Amino acid sequence: MDLNDTSEESLYGDYEVYDDFDAAADLRDSMRVLSMVVYSIAFLLGVTGNSLVIFVTGFRMKRTVTTVWFINLAIADFVFTFFLPLSVAYMALGFHWPFGKALCKLSSAVAFLNMFASVFLLMVISMDRCISVMCPVWAQNYRSPRLASLVALGVWIASLALSSPYIVFRDTRPSPVEENTTHCYNNFALSDDLHSEEMTKLGEQRHQAMVLIRFVAGFLVPFTIILICYGIIMTKLKGNRITRSSRPFKIMVAVILAFFICWFPYHVFSFMEMSVSMVTPWLQTVLVVGIPLASGLAYINSCLNPFLYVFVGQDFREKLQTSVLAAFENAFSETSAQVLTKSKSSMEVDSHLV
């Protein structure tokens, strides 16, 4: 049995073969149902939460550097979660793709566009916070919505470039084992000949290159930069004794942990699928369960951001007593002064680091 047979459930799947004769059919069906539930929840929360962020930051608030970051982050997450019903329908129809090749390519490209854009924007937000702490005078003079918009544009261009190969590789084909069934899959060899040794080797090489690029550019480098930035911020705050509250440090830990927890398992299973040459029954079970769970966890990240950046940084009881609009305005508003001095209160520091 080919390892590629294990991952029909994942929109992020890099797998080209969809035979369904393995002994884990019942487990596969259970994971498919669970995946449909997770994707549906991600769709409802993601579309609702990110729509609210876009509305408030785009139409009800003054344009600031902070609102520029968050509206771009919300747009990336909104676009991705908006396409999730296609994946739910795909699974509900027994992995039959009736939407055509164009939407097959677009849905996959949008998924990776969201991954790269979200990760890069989180990295940029961390860098912005770090610069504001380390170089407050420069930030006061040059940190502007226009500069932030240009940086955000660069993020979108880089994300589009990194996700564009999936427009090329994503393809549709009739199922080799089921009549009237069309699969949406990654055809890394760009060939219909799945039995040619030359095409198989070419597909494997391209697959490995895509997984490696995705891990380095979409996880390792951004995560390292985020850790460095927040490490600098924590050192600066502790050194200057600006705050007596531990809230800023809790926010930093929440940001890092959410990023790591949501994306690390997905990359682990991507490397497992890519590197393992033979599938034992035990490994097959691990992959059948782990791949959809890891992918679903990555999906959930797209609906976490509104809650993470709005509600984590504020007192929960206070949020219960205020309107949704007031909560968003309070979370996204910026203090008029960017210079951090020892005379600032702990509340000012908390607001700055959210």
Side-chain angles (χ1 to χ4, degrees):
M1 177 195 155
D2 196 304
L3 180 59
N4 293 341
D5 299 339
T6 63
S7 59
E8 295 169 313
E9 296 86 347
S10 173
L11 177 65
Y12 291 104
D14 299 326
Y15 320 97
E16 304 181 10
V17 182
Y18 289 87
D19 302 332
D20 199 20
F21 52 81
D22 57 274
D26 291 340
L27 181 59
R28 185 194 302 275
D29 289 339
S30 298
M31 297 310 300
R32 181 180 65 175
V33 173
L34 178 60
S35 296
M36 292 170 60
V37 173
V38 173
Y39 297 176
S40 299
I41 294 174
F43 167 72
L44 293 174
L45 294 180
V47 169
T48 303
N50 289 294
S51 295
L52 190 56
V53 173
I54 293 171
F55 171 73
V56 173
T57 57
F59 300 100
R60 299 299 299 270
M61 297 185 64
K62 181 181 177 181
R63 187 167 175 265
T64 65
V65 173
T66 302
T67 58
V68 169
W69 298 144
F70 283 96
I71 195 171
N72 279 276
L73 186 61
I75 290 173
D77 291 331
F78 173 84
V79 172
F80 170 64
T81 53
F82 184 79
F83 278 86
L84 281 180
L86 294 178
S87 301
V88 176
Y90 183 47
M91 290 183 287
L93 295 172
F95 301 104
H96 168 57
W97 185 267
F99 307 111
K101 182 179 294 187
L103 276 180
C104 173
K105 291 177 176 290
L106 182 62
S107 63
S108 179
V110 165
F112 288 104
L113 177 66
N114 162 263
M115 183 191 76
F116 286 116
S118 296
V119 167
F120 291 163
L121 285 168
L122 292 176
M123 178 183 67
V124 168
I125 292 172
S126 302
M127 295 171 65
D128 177 52
R129 298 297 186 239
C130 183
I131 291 173
S132 296
V133 171
M134 296 300 297
C135 308
V137 176
W138 185 94
Q140 176 69 22
N141 294 330
Y142 298 102
R143 185 174 177 266
S144 66
R146 183 177 181 276
L147 179 59
S149 298
L150 291 176
V151 173
L153 177 61
V155 165
W156 283 108
I157 294 174
S159 302
L160 183 61
L162 288 168
S163 59
S164 59
Y166 294 93
I167 298 178
V168 178
F169 293 131
R170 203 68 170 176
D171 200 359
T172 59
R173 72 164 186 177
S175 171
V177 294
E178 298 180 6
E179 295 184 0
N180 301 320
T181 298
T182 300
H183 292 306
C184 176
Y185 74 112
N186 282 322
N187 183 3
F188 288 110
L190 298 178
S191 172
D192 294 330
D193 185 4
L194 300 178
H195 302 289
S196 169
E197 182 177 349
E198 181 181 357
M199 290 295 99
T200 299
K201 184 176 181 180
L202 177 62
E204 290 177 352
Q205 290 174 346
R206 288 175 174 172
H207 178 193
Q208 292 170 359
M210 294 298 292
V211 170
L212 184 60
I213 292 172
R214 194 165 60 211
F215 173 72
V216 173
F219 183 84
L220 182 61
V221 172
F223 183 63
T224 301
I225 293 176
I226 289 173
L227 282 178
I228 292 173
C229 288
Y230 281 118
I232 292 173
I233 293 173
M234 293 174 67
T235 301
K236 182 70 173 180
L237 294 182
K238 287 183 177 180
N240 289 343
R241 298 180 180 178
I242 300 176
T243 177
R244 299 177 183 178
S245 172
S246 62
R247 185 181 299 173
F249 303 102
K250 292 179 180 178
I251 297 171
M252 297 174 198
V253 172
V255 172
I256 296 172
L257 286 181
F259 180 83
F260 184 84
I261 292 172
C262 285
W263 285 108
F264 184 69
Y266 164 71
H267 292 288
V268 168
F269 280 100
S270 292
F271 277 106
M272 287 179 62
E273 181 278 332
M274 177 185 69
S275 59
V276 177
S277 58
M278 293 186 61
V279 180
T280 63
W282 175 83
L283 181 59
Q284 178 184 345
T285 301
V286 171
L287 293 174
V288 167
V289 174
I291 288 172
L293 288 179
S295 299
L297 191 59
Y299 286 25
I300 292 297
N301 183 72
S302 292
C303 61
L304 276 181
N305 290 328
F307 300 96
L308 185 63
Y309 285 93
V310 175
F311 296 105
V312 169
Q314 302 294 331
D315 183 77
F316 182 72
R317 295 181 182 178
E318 178 184 349
K319 292 304 175 186
L320 291 178
Q321 298 172 357
T322 59
S323 66
V324 173
L325 178 59
F328 275 82
E329 289 179 339
N330 187 34
F332 289 132
S333 61
E334 293 185 334
T335 56
S336 57
Q338 296 295 330
V339 181
L340 292 179
T341 63
K342 293 183 179 182
S343 61
K344 281 190 172 182
S345 66
S346 61
M347 182 60 69
E348 287 176 315
V349 175
D350 293 346
S351 175
H352 181 71
L353 292 173
V354 173

